[in-house]
Amino acid sequence: MDSVAMTDGFHIVVDAFKLNGIDTIYGVAGIPITDLLRLAHEEGIRYIGFRHEQSAANAAAIAGYLTKKPGVCMTVSGPGFLNGMVALANATTNCFPMILISGSSDRAIIDLEQGDYEELDQLNAARPYAKASFRVNRPQDIGIGLARAIHAAVSGRPGGVYLDLPADVLGSTLDVETAKKSLVKPVDPAPSQIPSPESVKRAVALLSEAKRPLIILGKGAAYAQADQEIRTFVESTGIPFLPMSMAKGLLPDNHPQSAAAARSYAIGQADVVVLLGARLNWLLSHGKGPLWSETTQYVQIDISPTEMDSNRLIAAPVVGDIKSAVSAILAEIKPNQIRPSADWTNGIAERKQKNVQRMAERLNADPNPMNFSSALRVVRDALADRPDIYVVNEGANSLDFARNIIDMSEPRKRLDSGTWGIMGIGMGYAIGAAVESGKPVVAIEGDSAFGFSGMELETICRYRLPIVIVVLNNGGIYRGDPAGSKPSPTGFVHDSRYDKLIEAFGGKGYHVQTSASLEKALKEAIEAGTPALINCVIDPTAGTESGHIQSLNPKSALQK
Ligand code: ADP
Ligand code: MG
């Protein structure tokens, strides 16, 4: 009798990855996935190992955003899984497609709460934070499990998906023939979603009556990779546009139709606003006063039908994917049908000019010690002729200032705190961007923000990634404590030398205290294309509490 050739769960998972073109995995090794990672690595899948699951999963999330394919992160069971969940929840919130795959312990023991190693009911723990969650219970279901995860991650509004792989499924065997037949490669996991013709007509009719129209570009528009269609829509209609932070560069920030430097005026005075892959959430004051007028009408172009009317009535909802929707709108518009009034475009241009001038004065000051503006002016100049460089940005003041000061000229090159406005994405996003693109990354980090993922400096150095980290170091959250004082709730060690951290792993550290030395260090580090950290000392009194969102920071009336 011929013996039947056998395989096991480990090999089936790797075969399923390969069949689906999953060529990169981010993760942290350990029980029960170590052998799986080793096997994937041997089989030619690029594996990037991190020091903490949150950063690994953030890297996978940003890989999903950049490529429109689900980024994959693998973790161990229990706490390792939970560490990754923060990033999975963040991916879902930001509409980034990713799959978190965690090994898990013995179901029989978990379900009776008998106390297993890293015992946790991971599937149910993931549910509220994931777009979808699945568990594979038999080796012959691995292929279907991955296919369902891929569909859920990239179809419709993208998001984070959890896939649970119990240790015993990985270890169990199956005959090779059955295993082969069980694999699935989805045919069209992110199908186009064509908007209804009536919705397109309604949107064009509303726009053609507008005197003061405005287009707000969100990161959904950047994600859609409909760059040419969007540019044609903006330029052929002449409508001013405002990019949300991660949509910067979809059209260059120095584009004559950009209303970014006249933001409040443009939002406050617009009569019809087109939300293009942008939600009317807290980042846009929910469409409510004092920023917004009560009479503003909205066209909202979004793949998610339930996003409509979330905060304000949407007069012209266009539900579809952005490429299809913008193409349909372009086909519907007759020549010269949409014309913003000259008063409107001139009014925006005037305010822009005034604000740009005011900003230039602030930027050109060269105080000693440096402040956020003077340091970021140097970074801006260094990046000006390097549109290929990815910019990662997090912090409070570091985020607010850099968003306004650093111009972007290419789509999807600015990666930041996003919808939650969180800290901790920095090194994960930087590594994901460098690995996926092979391009250099400059991460502009507040000293507090950097701390959340700082140990990944070792990861950056291990893989020799072209990442330069600029730590805007004012010695604390928002700002530093006076030298010699006891630590306050927001203060850190005075004069921390973050540059020495990277030297521990063979990277290049710089300690800079003047704009001239920052300029020199940044140029040198970018040119070298190897891991570097610039500890940029700025005034400890520079920075305001909560940055630009002080209104969200409750204050005790009783405290002095
Ligand atoms: P921002 O923070 O930049 O304003 P948001 O994350 O709030 O952007 O909004 C992005 C929106 O884009 C979400 O409502 C999401 O449903 C939508 N979206 C994502 N991908 C697409 C796509 N391919 N086509 C249409 N809408 C999309
Ligand atoms: Mg700080």
Side-chain angles (χ1 to χ4, degrees):
M1 198 181 93
D2 287 347
S3 65
V4 182
M6 299 296 281
T7 184
D8 64 10
F10 293 101
H11 287 82
I12 302 172
V13 172
V14 172
D15 290 345
F17 283 163
K18 284 166 70 175
L19 179 67
N20 280 285
I22 292 170
D23 54 9
T24 305
I25 300 171
Y26 302 91
V28 179
I31 297 172
I33 59 157
T34 312
D35 245 12
L36 181 55
L37 299 177
R38 216 176 266 136
L39 181 68
H41 189 66
E42 277 164 19
E43 293 279 312
I45 295 177
R46 177 168 53 179
Y47 174 68
I48 306 291
F50 285 68
R51 304 304 295 266
H52 192 286
E53 291 85 355
Q54 187 175 318
S55 293
N58 276 325
I62 213 64
Y65 171 71
L66 292 172
T67 64
K68 295 184 93 175
K69 292 196 313 191
V72 173
C73 174
M74 298 199 70
T75 81
V76 303
S77 42
F81 151 81
L82 278 179
N83 283 344
M85 274 311 297
V86 172
L88 186 83
N90 183 57
T92 304
T93 300
N94 281 281
C95 317
F96 299 161
M98 72 166 286
I99 305 174
L100 176 71
I101 305 178
S102 297
S104 58
S105 309
D106 192 318
R107 284 240 54 80
I109 300 175
I110 293 172
D111 289 351
L112 279 173
E113 300 183 10
Q114 293 174 307
D116 204 359
Y117 168 72
E118 297 190 340
E119 176 181 295
L120 187 71
D121 182 0
Q122 294 170 196
L123 180 68
N124 284 307
R127 283 220 153 100
Y129 307 105
K131 186 182 170 195
S133 304
F134 305 101
R135 176 162 52 227
V136 173
N137 290 298
R138 308 180 299 184
Q140 62 268 36
D141 292 336
I142 289 171
I144 285 286
L146 184 65
R148 291 186 63 63
I150 291 171
H151 276 285
V154 295
S155 64
R157 171 185 280 179
V161 177
Y162 177 60
L163 184 62
D164 196 73
L165 280 186
D168 60 345
V169 174
L170 290 173
S172 54
T173 55
L174 195 66
D175 69 276
V176 167
E177 260 322 294
T178 311
K180 212 171 170 184
K181 280 193 219 138
S182 74
L183 297 183
V184 177
K185 181 172 165 36
V187 172
D188 185 13
S192 307
Q193 300 200 9
I194 315 291
S196 78
E198 308 84 80
S199 71
V200 171
K201 285 205 173 74
R202 201 183 291 123
V204 171
L206 182 60
L207 272 175
S208 60
E209 283 162 27
K211 301 256 177 328
R212 300 183 306 281
L214 175 70
I215 296 170
I216 297 185
L217 301 170
K219 59 174 142 17
Y223 173 80
Q225 300 195 13
D227 307 341
Q228 197 46 56
E229 291 82 353
I230 291 171
R231 188 186 261 270
T232 305
F233 177 47
V234 170
E235 292 183 342
S236 69
T237 58
I239 301 176
F241 71 93
L242 205 56
M244 299 301 287
S245 68
M246 281 179 65
K248 277 164 68 78
L250 197 44
L251 279 94
D253 278 326
N254 64 7
H255 192 285
Q257 281 170 258
S258 169
R263 186 176 187 270
S264 324
Y265 174 80
I267 288 179
Q269 302 298 314
D271 57 0
V272 176
V273 167
V274 181
L275 296 164
L276 193 57
R279 284 171 286 186
L280 218 40
N281 57 15
W282 70 282
L283 289 157
L284 284 169
S285 313
H286 305 282
K288 291 172 187 147
L291 188 59
W292 291 88
S293 147
E294 275 178 24
T295 56
T296 308
Q297 290 192 286
Y298 296 93
V299 175
Q300 183 157 23
I301 305 173
D302 203 291
I303 203 157
S304 170
T306 53
E307 186 54 38
M308 304 303 159
D309 305 337
S310 62
N311 289 274
R312 287 273 303 254
L313 172 76
I314 304 299
V318 181
V319 176
D321 76 275
I322 279 172
K323 204 182 183 94
S324 305
V326 174
S327 304
I329 287 173
L330 284 173
E332 176 71 22
I333 299 174
K334 294 174 195 71
N336 288 319
Q337 189 183 357
I338 295 173
R339 276 287 135 225
S341 75
D343 280 357
W344 176 231
T345 50
N346 292 340
I348 289 176
E350 255 167 52
R351 269 148 193 102
K352 244 174 93 170
Q353 206 189 352
K354 258 187 236 152
N355 291 342
V356 166
Q357 220 166 329
R358 215 175 303 150
M359 169 115 128
E361 279 159 28
R362 233 175 308 141
L363 289 181
N364 289 332
D366 193 11
N368 191 3
M370 286 181 276
N371 58 21
F372 287 100
S373 297
S374 65
L376 287 167
R377 190 223 347 119
V378 174
V379 180
R380 178 198 67 182
D381 294 347
L383 295 179
D385 57 355
R386 290 297 302 267
D388 56 316
I389 293 180
Y390 283 82
V391 173
V392 169
N393 186 203
E394 62 176 336
N397 293 279
S398 300
L399 182 78
D400 293 335
F401 279 92
R403 184 178 53 234
N404 289 338
I405 294 172
I406 311 285
D407 282 344
M408 303 305 300
S409 52
E410 287 187 3
R412 296 170 293 283
K413 284 286 165 78
R414 184 186 154 85
L415 314 169
D416 68 25
S417 302
T419 303
W420 263 347
I422 45 147
M423 308 299 133
I425 49 91
M427 299 305 102
Y429 281 10
I431 293 168
V435 166
E436 296 294 328
S437 70
K439 297 265 160 55
V441 177
V442 169
I444 304 167
E445 303 272 315
D447 53 338
S448 158
F450 171 68
F452 288 86
S453 64
M455 194 62 204
E456 303 302 340
L457 285 182
E458 191 276 330
T459 311
I460 291 168
C461 290
R462 186 168 7 116
Y463 295 107
R464 306 297 298 160
L465 297 171
I467 297 174
V468 179
I469 300 133
V470 179
V471 178
L472 296 172
N473 186 0
N474 63 357
I477 300 174
Y478 309 129
R479 58 208 315 190
D481 288 337
S485 62
K486 278 197 194 158
S488 73
T490 52
F492 297 151
V493 167
H494 205 69
D495 286 334
S496 290
R497 292 291 302 272
Y498 295 103
D499 48 308
K500 294 194 177 181
L501 284 179
I502 198 166
E503 287 174 356
F505 310 113
K508 173 87 179 154
Y510 297 90
H511 179 60
V512 305
Q513 289 173 289
T514 62
S515 57
S517 53
L518 171 59
E519 186 183 334
K520 189 163 169 286
L522 189 52
K523 274 209 178 117
E524 187 182 295
I526 289 174
E527 234 148 75
T530 49
L533 185 149
I534 302 173
N535 181 44
C536 179
V537 179
I538 61 171
D539 189 345
T541 66
T544 50
E545 181 152 333
S546 310
H548 288 188
I549 50 176
Q550 283 164 44
S551 60
L552 301 180
N553 190 23
K555 286 278 184 195
S556 163
L558 303 178
Q559 212 161 3
K560 20 175 203 74

Coordinates of all heavy atoms in Angstrom, one line a residue, residues 3 9 15 48 64 73 97 106-107 112 168 177 182 212 233 242 281 310 321 400 413 417 468 497 523 546:
S3 N 2.0 4.9 1.0 CA 1.7 5.8 2.1 C 1.3 7.1 1.6 O 1.8 7.6 0.6 CB 3.0 5.9 3.0 OG 4.0 6.6 2.3
G9 N -0.7 22.0 9.7 CA -1.2 23.3 9.8 C -0.2 24.4 9.5 O -0.5 25.4 8.8
D15 N 1.4 28.0 2.8 CA 0.9 27.8 1.4 C -0.2 28.8 1.1 O -0.3 29.4 -0.1 CB 0.5 26.4 1.2 CG 1.7 25.4 1.2 OD1 2.8 25.9 1.0 OD2 1.4 24.2 1.3
I48 N 9.5 40.5 9.3 CA 10.1 41.6 10.1 C 9.7 41.4 11.5 O 8.5 41.5 11.9 CB 9.6 42.9 9.5 CG1 9.8 43.1 8.0 CG2 10.3 44.1 10.3 CD1 11.3 43.1 7.6
G64 N -1.0 48.1 4.9 CA -2.4 47.9 4.2 C -2.8 49.2 3.6 O -3.3 49.3 2.5
C73 N 0.0 40.8 10.5 CA 0.8 40.8 11.7 C 0.5 39.5 12.4 O -0.6 39.1 12.5 CB 0.4 42.0 12.6 SG 1.3 41.9 14.2
P97 N -6.7 48.4 5.9 CA -6.9 46.9 5.9 C -5.8 46.2 6.5 O -4.6 46.3 6.1 CB -7.1 46.6 4.4 CG -6.2 47.7 3.7 CD -6.3 48.9 4.6
D106 N -5.2 26.2 24.4 CA -6.2 25.1 24.3 C -7.6 25.5 24.5 O -8.0 25.9 25.7 CB -5.7 24.0 25.3 CG -6.4 22.7 25.0 OD1 -7.7 22.7 24.8 OD2 -5.7 21.6 25.1
R107 N -8.5 25.4 23.5 CA -9.9 25.8 23.7 C -10.6 25.1 24.8 O -11.4 25.7 25.5 CB -10.6 25.5 22.4 CG -10.4 26.4 21.3 CD -11.6 27.1 20.8 NE -12.3 27.8 21.9 CZ -11.9 29.0 22.4 NH1 -10.9 29.6 21.9 NH2 -12.6 29.5 23.4
L112 N -13.4 26.3 29.8 CA -13.8 26.0 31.2 C -13.0 26.8 32.2 O -13.1 26.6 33.4 CB -13.5 24.5 31.4 CG -14.7 23.6 30.9 CD1 -14.3 22.1 31.0 CD2 -16.0 23.8 31.7
D168 N -3.3 23.8 18.4 CA -3.5 22.4 18.0 C -3.8 22.3 16.5 O -3.6 21.3 15.8 CB -4.5 21.7 18.8 CG -5.9 22.3 18.8 OD1 -6.0 23.5 18.3 OD2 -6.9 21.7 19.2
E177 N -3.1 16.2 -0.6 CA -4.1 16.4 -1.6 C -5.3 17.2 -1.1 O -5.7 18.2 -1.7 CB -4.7 15.1 -2.2 CG -4.1 14.6 -3.5 CD -3.8 15.8 -4.5 OE1 -4.8 16.4 -4.9 OE2 -2.6 16.1 -4.8
S182 N -8.0 22.6 -0.4 CA -8.7 23.5 0.6 C -8.2 25.0 0.5 O -8.9 25.8 1.1 CB -8.4 23.0 2.0 OG -7.0 23.3 2.4
R212 N -19.9 79.0 -3.6 CA -18.6 78.9 -2.8 C -18.4 77.5 -2.4 O -18.4 77.1 -1.2 CB -18.8 79.8 -1.5 CG -19.0 81.3 -1.8 CD -19.1 82.1 -0.6 NE -20.1 81.6 0.4 CZ -21.4 81.9 0.3 NH1 -21.8 82.6 -0.7 NH2 -22.2 81.4 1.2
F233 N -10.9 66.2 -11.2 CA -12.1 66.7 -10.6 C -11.8 68.1 -10.0 O -12.5 69.1 -10.3 CB -12.6 65.8 -9.6 CG -13.8 66.3 -8.8 CD1 -14.9 66.8 -9.5 CD2 -13.8 66.1 -7.4 CE1 -16.0 67.2 -8.7 CE2 -14.9 66.6 -6.7 CZ -16.0 67.1 -7.4
L242 N -9.2 71.4 0.4 CA -8.6 71.4 1.7 C -8.2 69.9 2.1 O -9.1 69.1 2.1 CB -9.7 71.9 2.7 CG -9.3 72.5 4.0 CD1 -8.4 73.7 3.8 CD2 -10.5 73.0 4.8
N281 N -16.1 64.0 11.5 CA -15.9 63.6 12.9 C -15.2 64.8 13.7 O -15.2 65.9 13.2 CB -15.0 62.3 13.0 CG -13.7 62.5 12.3 OD1 -13.3 63.6 12.0 ND2 -13.1 61.3 12.1
S310 N -24.0 61.2 9.6 CA -23.5 60.8 10.9 C -23.5 62.0 11.8 O -23.6 61.9 13.0 CB -22.1 60.2 10.8 OG -21.2 61.2 10.2
D321 N -17.1 53.5 -4.4 CA -15.7 53.7 -4.2 C -15.3 55.0 -4.9 O -15.9 55.4 -5.9 CB -14.9 52.5 -4.7 CG -14.8 52.4 -6.2 OD1 -15.7 51.9 -6.9 OD2 -13.8 53.0 -6.8
D400 N 0.9 69.1 15.5 CA 0.2 70.3 15.0 C 1.1 71.2 14.2 O 0.7 71.7 13.1 CB -0.3 71.2 16.2 CG -1.4 70.4 17.0 OD1 -2.1 69.6 16.4 OD2 -1.5 70.7 18.2
K413 N 2.2 60.0 1.4 CA 3.6 60.1 1.9 C 3.6 60.6 3.3 O 4.6 60.6 4.0 CB 4.5 61.1 1.0 CG 4.9 60.4 -0.3 CD 6.0 59.4 -0.1 CE 6.2 58.4 -1.3 NZ 7.0 59.0 -2.3
S417 N -0.8 60.4 13.3 CA -1.7 59.9 14.4 C -3.1 59.6 14.0 O -3.8 58.9 14.7 CB -1.7 61.0 15.5 OG -0.4 61.2 16.0
V468 N 15.2 58.0 9.5 CA 15.8 59.1 10.3 C 14.7 59.6 11.2 O 13.7 60.0 10.8 CB 16.4 60.2 9.4 CG1 16.9 61.3 10.3 CG2 17.4 59.7 8.4
R497 N 19.1 62.0 26.5 CA 19.9 61.9 25.3 C 19.4 60.7 24.5 O 20.0 59.6 24.5 CB 21.4 61.7 25.8 CG 22.0 63.0 26.4 CD 22.2 64.1 25.4 NE 23.0 63.7 24.3 CZ 24.4 63.8 24.3 NH1 25.0 64.4 25.3 NH2 25.1 63.3 23.3
K523 N 20.7 66.6 6.9 CA 21.2 66.4 5.5 C 22.1 65.1 5.4 O 22.0 64.3 4.6 CB 22.0 67.6 5.0 CG 21.2 68.7 4.4 CD 22.0 69.5 3.4 CE 21.1 70.5 2.8 NZ 21.5 71.9 3.1
S546 N -1.9 70.1 25.5 CA -2.9 69.5 24.5 C -2.8 70.1 23.1 O -3.6 69.8 22.3 CB -4.3 69.7 25.0 OG -4.4 69.2 26.3

